[in-house]
Amino acid sequence: MAAALENELEIENEDYYSLLNVRREASQEELKSSYRRLCMLYHPDKHRDPELKRQAEQLFNLVHRAYEVLSDPQSRAIYDIFGKKGLEVEGWEIVERKRTPAEIREEYERLQRERDERRLQQRTNPKGTISVGIDATDLFDHYEEDFEEMPGGGFPHIEINRMHISQSIEAPLTTTDTAVLSGSLTTHNGNGGGNINLCLRRVTSTRGWGELEFGAGDIRGPLFGMKVFRNVTARCFVTAQCGMQFSSRGVRPSASTMMARHLDQNTMGYLQWRWGSESAMTTSIVRDTKTSHFTLALQLGVPHSYLMMSYQYKFQDEDQTKVKGSVKTGFFGTVVEYGAERKISRHSVLSATVSIGVPQGVSLKIRLNRASQTYLFPIHLTDQILPSAVFYATVGPLVVYLAVQKLIITPYVRAQKEQELEKQRVDSASDIAKKKNEAESALVLMQESVRRIIEAEESKMGLIILNAWYGKFVTDNSQKQERAKVIDVTVPLQCLVKDSKLILTEASKAGLPGFYDPCVGEEKSLKLLYQFRGVLHQVLSGDTEALRIPKQSHRIDAET
């Protein structure tokens, strides 16, 4: 983990584009101009002091390496696609020099394929589901009966009447073959059973795959099935599945097929036919956008036919909150569902859904997704539609969630983030110390150039950087106890001024000469106070925002 983090930091802090302060689309002339400017600043022959000469040599070599990579079309294409890590892959020396980025990507993937195959045996994708069905009908139905004469003083009786546990793991055999082993156990009112399945999947091409399934259980007997997937066109795909279930009653064949088509960028249409013990024809339209998810489905079949419509609204917040509602009506009756879903930690999502139907009654379904594990708690409240059951099923989870969020989740997430940041700081301490020393050395080397730039700008009332800070600024009154983490970057920014202009590209400022990251893993900004044409200005910019001064600025009073 620490090694991976150090690699990530190295790539971020030594971004070649940021180091040369050029756009990612920069031409060869722009690269050469920036390189010459930095060479004049850091060339070792300009310094007589041995220590300054050594520092200048290190920075000069770093700038030279960046220019060497970006000025070569092949190396630049590799760097743009894969970063510094791509330049370190063995085997590039045998690649022809005249390659397009697409050909380079293909060659890179080929060179890494052997390493990927060695890692396959160490990778699994465990998935599991635990469902606990709870019968809580006595909470509401007992008011309609006389419980005073019953043992226990009439306290409502709540019991677990259903449990289901399933687990699956994947075992990649080759880059195209995968084995999936799964099993499940189910119990309901004292009766239960289980089954185990083995699935072998092969990716035949970029357009399709197929799988074979073998299963056995203590209730239905052996199972054999096949499934294939095929991309018909770029906007249409088809799946087909068939199977045979062997039991004491004989062989039960089944088959299904589904065709899906992209109707537009955000809309999919599905047409499914299923034959077997529950034959049906289903058609549905699903529209998924950044802010909403809509589904309309119609099924005609035996024994179930229904019309279903659902809508989900996605809030654009950090917790990825969603509210949803659906209506489903058919021969079995009508069911209305509504609920909400929210991310409570980095890997956990909690949702609650209230189901109201005839003749099902009122139920509350609680779901917790933790990484690849799912925990379900369907709670049956009443067989009838009672206003009290609907009220408590709606308000109860909300009150409990707010209390748990305030007292447990928020403190836990805050402590977890602080621990991760602290670990990140410790793991990257040596790298940051190195970057800090490089930045301090760059500041010493910039002094003479900055003095000449300031004299030239003052003579024509040009751009003078009075103060500049980079890092995390604490402006929220609720965070007064938190200390700002900033560094003074007045000198390196003044050194970048040319012809009364300061241009910064859309890249992390931590890679600029004279800069380093003062708060690893935290959001950073750049704050400038400068003078142009005798007028003071102030600018606050995000870390990766492009900045052009003095074209856009905010004027402030001299006292500020």
Side-chain angles (χ1 to χ4, degrees):
M1 176 69 180
L5 181 60
E6 288 177 4
N7 290 338
E8 182 179 344
L9 283 170
E10 184 180 2
I11 292 173
E12 178 183 355
N13 289 342
E14 291 186 4
D15 177 19
Y16 290 157
Y17 289 100
S18 178
L19 179 63
L20 298 179
N21 192 31
V22 294
R23 301 173 298 116
R24 298 192 71 87
E25 304 81 13
S27 64
Q28 290 293 331
E29 288 300 321
E30 291 175 310
L31 288 171
K32 188 178 294 185
S33 175
S34 178
Y35 174 63
R36 287 176 176 173
R37 178 180 173 84
L38 292 175
C39 283
M40 292 176 60
L41 183 63
Y42 297 135
H43 202 287
D45 294 343
K46 294 185 60 178
H47 305 279
R48 296 182 178 180
D49 184 272
E51 181 62 24
L52 291 178
K53 191 178 186 69
R54 184 187 64 82
Q55 295 172 354
E57 186 175 356
Q58 292 178 351
L59 294 171
F60 181 82
N61 290 337
L62 186 61
V63 171
H64 179 71
R65 171 60 177 165
Y67 177 71
E68 188 179 48
V69 170
L70 298 184
S71 61
D72 180 70
Q74 186 201 32
S75 299
R76 184 175 181 177
I78 297 171
Y79 179 79
D80 287 345
I81 298 172
F82 306 106
K84 286 184 62 179
K85 189 178 296 185
L87 298 170
E88 299 168 0
V89 174
E90 297 179 0
W92 282 121
E93 61 275 3
I94 64 174
V95 179
E96 295 180 10
R97 302 297 296 176
K98 296 180 180 180
R99 290 287 186 97
T100 65
E103 292 172 331
I104 290 174
R105 177 186 292 274
E106 183 179 350
E107 186 68 18
Y108 180 88
E109 293 172 351
R110 186 190 69 79
L111 292 172
Q112 283 201 323
R113 194 169 296 134
E114 292 184 2
R115 261 190 292 176
D116 293 340
E117 289 180 353
R118 289 195 297 268
R119 294 173 183 170
L120 279 175
Q121 301 300 330
Q122 304 174 0
R123 289 165 46 192
T124 61
N125 185 22
K127 297 179 181 179
T129 300
I130 297 177
S131 178
V132 180
I134 301 174
D135 185 355
T137 54
D138 276 0
L139 285 174
F140 300 95
D141 293 345
H142 81 279
Y143 290 111
E144 301 178 1
E145 303 175 7
D146 187 4
F147 276 75
E148 295 181 359
E149 299 179 0
M150 294 185 64
F155 285 100
H157 179 64
I158 300 176
E159 64 178 7
I160 297 176
N161 60 359
R162 181 191 296 268
M163 289 191 67
H164 174 79
I165 300 175
S166 65
Q167 186 73 32
S168 69
I169 58 172
E170 293 184 0
L173 306 178
T174 66
T175 53
T176 59
D177 297 329
T178 303
V180 181
L181 181 65
S182 61
S184 65
L185 293 172
T186 302
T187 177
H188 184 207
N189 291 332
N191 299 317
N195 63 73
I196 186 170
N197 292 70
L198 174 64
C199 176
L200 300 176
R201 182 182 304 135
R202 164 166 285 190
V203 178
T204 56
S205 67
T206 56
R207 301 183 61 184
W209 52 264
E211 64 181 28
L212 296 175
E213 182 180 7
F214 306 91
D218 59 354
I219 299 178
R220 297 186 177 181
L223 167 69
F224 172 76
M226 292 191 309
K227 184 176 182 179
V228 294
F229 168 89
R230 182 73 176 178
N231 278 313
V232 181
T233 66
R235 302 178 60 184
C236 179
F237 67 86
V238 175
T239 62
Q241 184 175 6
C242 64
M244 289 186 293
Q245 183 80 58
F246 300 90
S247 65
S248 58
R249 298 181 181 179
V251 180
R252 289 177 137 184
S254 62
S256 67
T257 182
M258 181 186 69
M259 183 177 69
R261 180 177 175 82
H262 286 275
L263 303 180
D264 60 36
Q265 184 178 1
N266 300 308
T267 308
M268 289 285 295
Y270 298 89
L271 182 63
Q272 183 180 22
W273 171 79
R274 187 172 63 250
W275 172 78
S277 58
E278 295 184 357
S279 300
M281 176 72 77
T282 306
T283 180
S284 58
I285 296 176
V286 179
R287 181 170 178 80
D288 190 11
T289 65
K290 185 178 180 180
T291 59
S292 64
H293 182 92
F294 174 78
T295 302
L296 178 64
L298 173 64
Q299 175 173 302
L300 300 175
V302 178
H304 297 301
S305 295
Y306 64 83
L307 175 66
M308 188 271 291
M309 182 174 63
S310 68
Y311 179 80
Q312 182 182 86
Y313 181 78
K314 307 173 186 178
F315 291 90
Q316 302 303 304
D317 58 357
E318 184 179 357
D319 297 323
Q320 301 177 10
T321 306
K322 303 174 184 176
V323 293
K324 51 189 175 181
S326 67
V327 178
K328 187 176 181 179
T329 181
F331 294 155
F332 56 84
T334 301
V335 178
V336 176
E337 292 187 348
Y338 58 89
E341 177 183 300
R342 192 169 193 179
K343 185 177 181 180
I344 58 176
S345 69
R346 178 182 297 179
H347 303 292
S348 301
V349 177
L350 180 66
S351 65
T353 304
V354 179
S355 178
I356 307 170
V358 177
Q360 291 88 350
V362 181
S363 298
L364 172 64
K365 303 174 185 177
I366 299 175
R367 176 193 293 264
L368 174 64
N369 291 328
R370 172 69 178 173
S372 60
Q373 301 294 314
T374 301
Y375 304 90
L376 295 173
F377 301 92
I379 305 172
H380 187 48
L381 298 178
T382 177
D383 294 325
Q384 303 175 0
I385 301 180
L386 300 177
S388 57
V390 175
F391 175 79
Y392 286 110
T394 304
V395 177
L398 182 60
V399 173
V400 172
Y401 170 77
L402 292 176
V404 173
Q405 176 79 12
K406 183 72 173 179
L407 301 177
I408 300 177
I409 297 178
T410 300
Y412 171 76
V413 172
R414 185 185 300 117
Q416 191 178 44
K417 287 183 178 180
E418 292 176 355
Q419 290 177 0
E420 291 176 354
L421 281 175
E422 184 61 28
K423 186 177 184 303
Q424 197 172 352
R425 295 189 193 103
V426 172
D427 292 340
S428 59
S430 60
D431 186 72
I432 296 303
K434 176 184 175 183
K435 298 299 179 185
K436 182 178 179 180
N437 291 334
E438 291 179 357
E440 292 174 349
S441 300
L443 292 179
V444 176
L445 300 173
M446 291 176 182
Q447 295 297 333
E448 182 62 26
S449 297
V450 167
R451 185 185 61 79
R452 293 197 302 269
I453 293 173
I454 292 177
E455 289 178 354
E457 293 295 324
E458 285 180 342
S459 64
K460 56 184 177 182
M461 294 187 66
L463 177 61
I464 306 294
I465 307 296
L466 302 177
N467 284 297
W469 302 271
Y470 174 71
K472 179 180 179 180
F473 299 90
V474 179
T475 57
D476 190 351
N477 293 332
S478 64
Q479 300 180 351
K480 284 184 177 179
Q481 72 279 4
E482 188 173 357
R483 184 171 57 87
K485 304 169 186 176
V486 298
I487 57 173
D488 190 336
V489 292
T490 306
V491 172
L493 283 185
Q494 185 67 64
C495 193
L496 293 176
V497 172
K498 183 179 180 180
D499 298 329
S500 300
K501 292 180 181 179
L502 172 63
I503 301 176
L504 299 178
T505 60
E506 295 180 353
S508 175
K509 308 302 184 289
L512 290 169
F515 281 64
Y516 69 94
D517 192 343
C519 46
V520 177
E522 300 183 66
E523 187 176 350
K524 294 171 281 290
S525 301
L526 178 64
K527 188 174 183 180
L528 294 87
L529 178 64
Y530 65 92
Q531 179 177 311
F532 182 70
R533 305 299 187 199
V535 181
L536 290 179
H537 300 264
Q538 180 175 281
V539 169
L540 181 63
S541 172
D543 183 24
T544 57
E545 292 181 14
L547 190 63
R548 186 182 181 92
I549 294 176
K551 185 177 180 180
Q552 294 179 349
S553 62
H554 301 281
R555 181 172 177 174
I556 61 173
D557 295 331
E559 290 78 5
T560 307

